[in-house]
Amino acid sequence: MNFLNFLISGISLGSIYAIIALGYTMVYGIAKMLNFAHGDVIMVGAYICFFASSSFHLPPALGILAAIAVCTVLGMTVERLAYKPLRQAPSLAVLITAIGVSYFLQNSALLLWSSTPKMFPAFFVLKGTAADGAETVRNSLQLFDGQLTISFVTIVTILTCVVIMAGLTAFINHTKMGKAMRACSEDKGAAQLMGINVDGTISMTFAIGSGLAAVAGVLLCSAYPTLVPTTGSMPGIKAFTAAVFGGIGSIPGAFLGGLLLGVIETFAKAYISMQLSDAIVFAVLIIVLLVKPVGLLGRQISEKV
């Protein structure tokens, strides 16, 4: 049963990585840039949800919606102010700008909310009443006489990831905006000649990715309740690794890469070493890229000269 417990935990962690990785893979697939500030948008979403629930006493659902709204606006603002002027700039300039935006968001959070860790509230619990009238709170399911424990956060995280992946795939394949995104991904110049608003499409991509980052931030802090201004840094890096692992630019690749990364990390911590788990994750990435440089589901694009 320990193996099954670790597997479910790994899938749950991988689901968070997959949701975050979507932001990286969508932006890269359409704008051909790496938004390294994406991990810090996760942190902002978690803080908004935290204060909406603790300071304004909003229900969890409204707190999550507030986080999505703020992060969506934040993503579009960052794209408009920091990245849009660099459309024709060298990739190194865009990369340095992304790192600068990341540090700006981290230090802004430090000034606004201090470095004191915040304990994220437990959203996904079931409250009931015992036979003696006392209130009871359950945060997990006990199966097979208690040998298998699945937290409600884990269940919600996995289901949310599946729903997001299915919804985003349908959006990309069956809506006008989704088709515009695919056209911009193939050739922005040709898409513009066909009447597609390339700038608006890229802004919408940032909006969707940032909104999903808010959801990922809430799920991450629900599973690991300590919230600090650097909360999104390492998950952001690992989610970027997951996007590269699965094939950056591919939505199914982000899903597969995230799940595999979460499972590998969890099993490495359980059976090898807590300290070496991150090294093992990146070692596996290096091996995969040596064998398949475009990632597991990435595709090699050949250009006719």
Side-chain angles (χ1 to χ4, degrees), residues 38-60 62-71 74 102 104-121 123 210 213-222 224-233:
H38 190 63
D40 300 290
V41 178
I42 299 165
M43 171 269 298
V44 172
Y47 267 110
I48 295 299
C49 187
F50 171 81
F51 284 111
S53 300
S54 61
S55 300
F56 297 98
H57 307 291
L58 295 178
L62 291 181
I64 295 170
L65 289 176
I68 293 172
V70 170
C71 286
L74 176 62
S102 173
F104 174 79
L105 292 176
Q106 282 186 29
N107 285 277
S108 297
L110 191 63
L111 289 172
L112 287 172
W113 302 311
S114 81
S115 61
T116 306
K118 307 287 192 298
M119 292 305 296
F120 204 78
F123 285 157
S210 300
V215 175
V218 173
L219 294 174
L220 177 68
C221 290
S222 295
Y224 307 95
T226 304
L227 176 59
V228 292
T230 56
T231 289
S233 298

Side-chain angles (χ1 to χ4, degrees), residues 240-288:
F240 171 68
T241 303
V244 175
F245 193 13
I248 193 161
S250 166
I251 291 176
F255 179 65
L256 178 62
L259 291 185
L260 288 177
L261 200 75
V263 170
I264 292 169
E265 181 180 338
T266 302
F267 278 114
K269 287 180 178 177
Y271 293 112
I272 302 176
S273 169
M274 290 281 291
Q275 289 76 23
L276 293 177
S277 61
D278 290 345
I280 292 168
V281 166
F282 290 110
V284 171
L285 171 68
I286 292 170
I287 293 169
V288 169

